[in-house]
Amino acid sequence: MTAPAGPRTRTTQVVPASRFHLARTLQSGQCFRWTVAAAVASGGTAHTVARGVVNGTVARVAQRGGRLIVTWEGPPGDAARLRRHLGADQPLEAIEGELARDPVLRRVLAQTSGIAIMRQDPWECLVSYVISAFNNIPKICRSVEALARRFGEPIYARGARETASVQAGRPAGAHRGAAVPVGWSFPSPERLAQASEAALRACILGYRAPYVRVLARHVADGDVDLGAVPRLDFDDARAALLALPGVGEKVVECVLLFGFGRREAFPVDVWVQRAVERWYLGGRARTPRAIREWARERWGPLAGYAQQHLFAGVRTQDRLDGTS
DNA sequence: ACCCAGGTGAGGG
DNA sequence: CCCTCACCTGGG
């Protein structure tokens, strides 16, 4: 089934860190530009095939036999960079060993082991999570995809050439024989800053359209330098991002965690709040802020990982219990 | 026809 | 500070 590796092969292999689980990572709700499909190998054992737009190209990734088999649909990318993007470089065995000292997490980990915290592009992550407010995951994915399709750069299959008509603006379309993009990169702050509010609303953003527009303008103008955030300490980074429109207490933690790799971040959404109240606080209600502080005190630099497992765990449980 | 969905920001106590 | 409420829009 594996295509022979020719001299110009577009397939490569990546060895993930021990315990890394591709499907669980991509389906744990942290990213919006990956789709996962189950596939069946010739031997009959199920494995995962995923497709995502990353770093200006499109990657198809299958996890089999402890390896990640990467096929570039767009221009060949950097395998090490993809590995880092997926979080497949993180010491999950040590992290989960530490978390499993907590009896609640030990039980949850049976269902969630192998989830890595990804290292997504900070700008794309920021916009995605601003869109996530009072929204649902399928619609967030559609919005991000629409933004990329409308304002991003087309990505062509390896070997395909851009035509003059494509460079001029919208792709001319297949009926004229122009190359069809395999995907679109996420648009830059400059590009989104100049988009009209109506055009943004057309991307299913609803009332979030002005947030995205003003957010893009602030970043494009350098009011907040995303490139400098990694050098700030946690509280300063948090304060800098919180100043942006549409970025509140929950979104800022998501961006720090999934975009900047700050694993002490602990986003408290309705699901995590439910999990903590149900499993740790005897059902007593607490404010999101109180839960966040409690979690950081309890798990410190692994708070973000604890959050990810609690989120996946409580959603799995409610899915199994729920009638719908 | 309603009701809900991974919050945020504005306004008043 | 804490609390309350409206909010685009698509899918149950």
Side-chain angles (χ1 to χ4, degrees):
Chain A
M1 204 61 181
T2 305
R8 300 177 62 189
T9 182
R10 57 201 186 108
T11 297
T12 184
Q13 290 198 14
V14 172
V15 181
S18 173
R19 291 205 198 180
F20 177 80
H21 193 297
L22 181 66
R24 286 180 181 175
T25 295
L26 295 178
Q27 292 177 321
S28 64
Q30 58 182 308
C31 60
F32 305 100
R33 295 209 80 192
W34 283 87
T35 54
V36 176
V40 179
S42 53
T45 51
H47 65 280
T48 300
V49 178
R51 182 181 190 275
V53 182
V54 207
N55 301 330
T57 187
V58 177
R60 196 167 57 240
V61 184
Q63 183 166 31
R64 260 189 293 181
R67 301 291 174 90
L68 300 179
I69 297 137
V70 180
T71 304
W72 305 106
E73 291 188 11
D78 181 338
R81 200 167 168 204
L82 177 66
R83 184 173 186 264
R84 175 179 148 92
H85 170 84
L86 293 171
D89 58 338
Q90 300 190 23
L92 299 185
E93 197 157 356
I95 290 167
E96 292 182 5
E98 183 70 24
L99 292 178
R101 291 168 57 192
D102 176 319
V104 170
L105 286 179
R106 179 196 299 276
R107 180 172 56 79
V108 168
L109 276 163
Q111 304 293 321
T112 65
S113 174
I115 294 178
I117 289 177
M118 297 169 68
R119 180 73 74 117
Q120 301 176 239
D121 173 72
W123 166 242
E124 178 175 339
C125 197
L126 180 58
V127 176
S128 299
Y129 278 96
V130 166
I131 293 171
S132 80
F134 194 48
N135 210 338
N136 55 65
I137 293 176
K139 196 147 80 82
I140 299 163
C141 294
R142 293 181 54 198
S143 286
V144 175
E145 182 63 26
L147 284 175
R149 199 178 177 104
R150 190 172 181 90
F151 302 110
E153 297 297 319
I155 298 166
Y156 293 98
R158 180 184 164 85
R161 299 281 172 166
E162 287 193 19
T163 65
S165 63
V166 165
Q167 288 175 331
R170 313 269 10 116
H175 66 283
R176 291 186 52 187
V180 177
V182 293
W184 287 266
S185 64
F186 191 79
S188 66
E190 292 74 18
R191 188 71 189 82
L192 284 187
Q194 69 187 41
S196 72
E197 189 178 320
L200 291 173
R201 279 182 180 269
C203 297
I204 334 178
L205 296 189
Y207 66 89
R208 306 169 192 85
Y211 288 160
V212 169
R213 197 171 133 85
V214 178
L215 171 68
R217 182 158 300 159
H218 280 306
V219 174
D221 291 349
D223 295 339
V224 171
D225 181 3
L226 295 184
V229 168
R231 290 186 290 280
L232 300 177
D233 69 44
F234 189 82
D235 289 335
D236 286 346
R238 199 168 183 284
L241 295 172
L242 269 175
L244 292 165
V247 179
E249 297 278 339
K250 189 266 182 180
V251 167
V252 74
E253 302 276 324
C254 288
V255 176
L256 287 168
L257 184 58
F258 305 126
F260 290 103
R262 297 295 182 95
R263 303 192 308 210
E264 64 268 56
F266 192 88
V268 180
D269 57 48
V270 292
W271 295 97
V272 169
Q273 179 163 14
R274 195 173 303 171
V276 170
E277 289 172 351
R278 179 185 299 174
W279 293 335
Y280 293 93
L281 303 177
R284 288 187 302 278
R286 290 286 187 283
T287 65
R289 164 182 275 265
I291 289 175
R292 195 189 78 224
E293 288 167 354
W294 172 88
R296 189 160 303 154
E297 180 71 23
R298 183 181 183 90
W299 289 300
L302 293 185
Y305 265 97
Q307 180 271 354
Q308 204 60 10
H309 289 290
L310 290 172
F311 178 81
V314 74
R315 282 179 68 109
T316 300
Q317 188 187 66
D318 282 13
R319 205 162 31 239
L320 296 178
D321 292 352
T323 50
S324 54

